[in-house]
Amino acid sequence: MGTFQVVEHFVSINGEGRRAGQLAQFIRFAGCNLSCGYCDTQWANEDGVSITEYSEEELYDLIRNSGVKNVTLTGGEPLLQKDMDGLLKRLRQDRELNVEIETNGSVDITHFFDKEELSPESDNVTFTLDYKLSGSGMEQAMFLPNYQNVRSRDTVKFVVSGEEDLFRSKEIIEQYDLIKKGCGIYISPCFGKIEPEGIVRFMIEQNLNYVNMQLQLHKFIWNPDKRGV
């Protein structure tokens, strides 16, 4: 049974995604393979960051003891944890939990799908999959088959820094037929880089039906740099 490197865990509300505004138990793992220009958790990826090691059972007990049914595994990049397969198998055994994995788009998510589930749409583990746009500086690292294989239960998120990112988001949505796939599609502003009004205007001009513009709630409720929220 493996161990996991965790930099923080806390209960708060989901700031974005399909369960925005709902309580969630957050587990933030250390380490990331990307270095996005707008990253707001860069501290979790630095050498020397304070880490607590948890076993699979210790993490599961932490989650169950919180009494919160939504679980968000985040980072860093959680899918880089070498024993993530085992943790997800354990969490899938508890169907009272709704598990969301926030992943940066560079790791093959299909490796972590439930291979034993007869109906993939009944999986209680879902993926919120970033597509890193040019404003992040990391678009070249995207694992493109992810966007072909994303399921209707999953979510694709675009963080936009300007007009170029908006048009690229639309291209990806169309190229991978994301609307037809039925997955959640969210466009969020890079905090302080683009006005939300500009995103709405773009959505109107481009007639982007079934696409959601979303603000990061936690950055409006608390200081944008505050940890543990």
Side-chain angles (χ1 to χ4, degrees):
M1 191 174 296
T3 59
F4 300 85
Q5 296 185 327
V6 175
V7 294
E8 66 175 351
H9 60 83
F10 55 91
V11 173
S12 185
I13 60 163
N14 268 314
E16 52 195 326
R18 294 192 183 193
R19 298 183 184 275
Q22 296 184 22
L23 283 180
Q25 168 74 62
F26 287 82
I27 311 291
R28 187 179 306 283
F29 298 94
C32 190
N33 57 330
L34 302 185
S35 182
C36 298
Y38 51 68
C39 181
D40 55 7
T41 55
Q42 189 64 48
W43 61 270
N45 312 320
E46 294 174 353
D47 292 339
V49 66
S50 179
I51 291 170
T52 302
E53 289 199 345
Y54 288 85
S55 69
E56 178 185 307
E57 279 304 311
E58 286 171 335
L59 275 183
Y60 176 70
D61 289 344
L62 186 156
I63 290 166
R64 286 299 302 181
N65 291 338
S66 75
V68 176
K69 303 303 183 184
N70 294 328
V71 181
T72 300
L73 307 181
T74 188
E77 172 49 62
L79 298 183
L80 295 179
Q81 298 288 312
K82 62 183 179 64
D83 297 304
M84 184 56 69
D85 272 331
L87 178 61
L88 294 183
K89 183 175 182 178
R90 182 71 183 90
L91 294 176
R92 281 183 165 113
Q93 292 170 356
D94 189 339
R95 290 307 174 117
E96 291 187 357
L97 299 176
N98 302 303
V99 181
E100 176 188 10
I101 301 174
E102 293 185 339
T103 181
N104 65 24
S106 70
V107 180
D108 182 359
I109 62 172
T110 63
H111 175 78
F112 300 93
F113 286 172
D114 186 357
K115 305 302 191 298
E116 299 176 2
E117 181 60 67
L118 295 178
S119 172
E121 300 314 313
S122 67
D123 193 359
N124 69 327
V125 173
T126 63
F127 294 82
T128 293
L129 174 68
D130 274 10
Y131 185 91
K132 301 297 187 186
L133 299 156
S134 62
S136 73
M138 291 286 115
E139 185 173 6
Q140 72 282 357
M142 296 297 90
F143 183 74
L144 296 178
N146 278 338
Y147 309 93
Q148 188 66 49
N149 294 316
V150 68
R151 308 166 302 174
S152 63
R153 290 181 58 81
D154 301 321
T155 294
V156 178
K157 183 180 73 174
F158 302 91
V159 178
V160 298
S161 300
E163 188 174 80
E164 180 183 352
D165 284 353
L166 284 169
F167 279 102
R168 183 60 174 152
S169 298
K170 182 174 183 286
E171 287 179 1
I172 294 299
I173 291 168
E174 293 174 347
Q175 180 179 349
Y176 293 98
D177 215 1
L178 296 182
I179 291 173
K180 186 175 181 180
K181 285 182 170 63
C183 61
I185 306 171
Y186 290 83
I187 298 177
S188 297
C190 180
F191 195 81
K193 295 289 188 181
I194 185 174
E195 291 298 322
E197 180 182 352
I199 298 176
V200 177
R201 185 166 56 249
F202 178 83
M203 291 173 64
I204 294 170
E205 292 170 353
Q206 301 296 320
N207 196 30
L208 290 183
N209 291 296
Y210 309 110
V211 174
N212 305 276
M213 195 280 281
Q214 189 169 70
L215 305 177
Q216 294 174 297
L217 291 178
H218 52 289
K219 291 189 176 181
F220 290 87
I221 298 172
W222 296 282
N223 183 298
D225 298 321
K226 185 175 176 63
R227 299 183 189 179
V229 295

